[in-house]
mmCIF file of all heavy atoms in Angstrom:
data_model
loop_
_atom_site.group_PDB
_atom_site.id
_atom_site.type_symbol
_atom_site.label_atom_id
_atom_site.label_comp_id
_atom_site.label_asym_id
_atom_site.label_seq_id
_atom_site.Cartn_x
_atom_site.Cartn_y
_atom_site.Cartn_z
ATOM 1 N N SER A 116 -4.940 -1.919 -5.188
ATOM 2 C CA SER A 116 -4.330 -1.229 -4.064
ATOM 3 C C SER A 116 -5.422 -0.472 -3.270
ATOM 4 O O SER A 116 -5.447 -0.580 -2.003
ATOM 5 C CB SER A 116 -3.305 -0.213 -4.567
ATOM 6 O OG SER A 116 -2.784 0.553 -3.497
ATOM 7 N N VAL A 117 -6.283 0.254 -3.914
ATOM 8 C CA VAL A 117 -7.319 1.028 -3.241
ATOM 9 C C VAL A 117 -8.343 0.118 -2.620
ATOM 10 O O VAL A 117 -8.753 0.306 -1.458
ATOM 11 C CB VAL A 117 -7.978 2.039 -4.210
ATOM 12 C CG1 VAL A 117 -9.121 2.774 -3.559
ATOM 13 C CG2 VAL A 117 -6.940 3.054 -4.689
ATOM 14 N N THR A 120 -6.802 -1.630 0.460
ATOM 15 C CA THR A 120 -6.705 -0.723 1.623
ATOM 16 C C THR A 120 -8.108 -0.455 2.181
ATOM 17 O O THR A 120 -8.255 -0.420 3.426
ATOM 18 C CB THR A 120 -6.078 0.608 1.174
ATOM 19 O OG1 THR A 120 -4.770 0.352 0.677
ATOM 20 C CG2 THR A 120 -5.978 1.594 2.336
ATOM 21 N N GLN A 138 0.444 2.826 8.259
ATOM 22 C CA GLN A 138 0.428 2.243 6.894
ATOM 23 C C GLN A 138 1.818 2.273 6.285
ATOM 24 O O GLN A 138 2.525 3.280 6.359
ATOM 25 C CB GLN A 138 -0.524 3.014 6.006
ATOM 26 C CG GLN A 138 -0.589 2.447 4.582
ATOM 27 C CD GLN A 138 -1.183 3.489 3.612
ATOM 28 O OE1 GLN A 138 -1.120 4.672 3.817
ATOM 29 N NE2 GLN A 138 -1.706 2.996 2.489
ATOM 30 N N ALA A 176 -1.187 4.160 -7.537
ATOM 31 C CA ALA A 176 -1.771 3.239 -6.534
ATOM 32 C C ALA A 176 -1.278 3.573 -5.146
ATOM 33 O O ALA A 176 -2.081 3.659 -4.202
ATOM 34 C CB ALA A 176 -1.424 1.794 -6.902
ATOM 35 N N LYS A 177 0.009 3.781 -4.958
ATOM 36 C CA LYS A 177 0.557 4.110 -3.622
ATOM 37 C C LYS A 177 0.049 5.462 -3.127
ATOM 38 O O LYS A 177 -0.278 5.609 -1.962
ATOM 39 C CB LYS A 177 2.067 4.091 -3.652
ATOM 40 C CG LYS A 177 2.681 2.770 -4.056
ATOM 41 C CD LYS A 177 2.206 1.616 -3.204
ATOM 42 C CE LYS A 177 2.697 1.614 -1.778
ATOM 43 N NZ LYS A 177 2.396 0.354 -1.057
ATOM 44 N N THR A 178 -0.081 6.432 -4.027
ATOM 45 C CA THR A 178 -0.568 7.750 -3.630
ATOM 46 C C THR A 178 -2.029 7.694 -3.186
ATOM 47 O O THR A 178 -2.419 8.212 -2.119
ATOM 48 C CB THR A 178 -0.420 8.749 -4.760
ATOM 49 O OG1 THR A 178 0.956 8.802 -5.161
ATOM 50 C CG2 THR A 178 -0.867 10.128 -4.376
ATOM 51 N N ARG A 179 -2.848 7.047 -4.024
ATOM 52 C CA ARG A 179 -4.335 6.990 -3.679
ATOM 53 C C ARG A 179 -4.573 6.197 -2.411
ATOM 54 O O ARG A 179 -5.432 6.531 -1.612
ATOM 55 C CB ARG A 179 -5.079 6.424 -4.838
ATOM 56 C CG ARG A 179 -5.130 7.381 -6.026
ATOM 57 C CD ARG A 179 -6.037 6.866 -7.117
ATOM 58 N NE ARG A 179 -6.023 7.739 -8.292
ATOM 59 C CZ ARG A 179 -6.627 7.471 -9.433
ATOM 60 N NH1 ARG A 179 -7.301 6.341 -9.582
ATOM 61 N NH2 ARG A 179 -6.555 8.307 -10.444
ATOM 62 N N ALA A 180 -3.812 5.096 -2.202
ATOM 63 C CA ALA A 180 -4.012 4.289 -1.013
ATOM 64 C C ALA A 180 -3.628 5.098 0.235
ATOM 65 O O ALA A 180 -4.345 5.069 1.263
ATOM 66 C CB ALA A 180 -3.168 3.022 -1.096
ATOM 67 N N GLU A 181 -2.544 5.864 0.163
ATOM 68 C CA GLU A 181 -2.182 6.642 1.341
ATOM 69 C C GLU A 181 -3.176 7.763 1.549
ATOM 70 O O GLU A 181 -3.551 8.059 2.723
ATOM 71 C CB GLU A 181 -0.766 7.246 1.169
ATOM 72 C CG GLU A 181 -0.301 7.920 2.431
ATOM 73 C CD GLU A 181 1.046 8.592 2.364
ATOM 74 O OE1 GLU A 181 1.844 8.224 1.474
ATOM 75 O OE2 GLU A 181 1.279 9.537 3.162
ATOM 76 N N GLU A 182 -3.612 8.438 0.503
ATOM 77 C CA GLU A 182 -4.612 9.495 0.662
ATOM 78 C C GLU A 182 -5.883 8.920 1.282
ATOM 79 O O GLU A 182 -6.491 9.593 2.139
ATOM 80 C CB GLU A 182 -4.948 10.051 -0.706
ATOM 81 C CG GLU A 182 -3.837 10.966 -1.294
ATOM 82 C CD GLU A 182 -4.152 11.407 -2.722
ATOM 83 O OE1 GLU A 182 -4.938 10.721 -3.402
ATOM 84 O OE2 GLU A 182 -3.609 12.433 -3.130
ATOM 85 N N LEU A 183 -6.252 7.707 0.935
ATOM 86 C CA LEU A 183 -7.441 7.084 1.503
ATOM 87 C C LEU A 183 -7.282 6.877 2.997
ATOM 88 O O LEU A 183 -8.239 7.125 3.764
ATOM 89 C CB LEU A 183 -7.696 5.721 0.803
ATOM 90 C CG LEU A 183 -8.879 4.910 1.306
ATOM 91 C CD1 LEU A 183 -10.187 5.677 1.072
ATOM 92 C CD2 LEU A 183 -8.930 3.534 0.562
ATOM 93 N N VAL A 184 -6.106 6.475 3.416
ATOM 94 C CA VAL A 184 -5.912 6.249 4.868
ATOM 95 C C VAL A 184 -6.002 7.572 5.631
ATOM 96 O O VAL A 184 -6.707 7.668 6.644
ATOM 97 C CB VAL A 184 -4.524 5.596 5.096
ATOM 98 C CG1 VAL A 184 -4.130 5.679 6.578
ATOM 99 C CG2 VAL A 184 -4.537 4.138 4.649
#
Side-chain angles (χ1 to χ4, degrees):
S116 177
V117 175
T120 301
Q138 181 199 22
K177 299 306 290 189
T178 303
R179 291 187 183 173
E181 187 184 338
E182 288 174 336
L183 178 62
V184 167

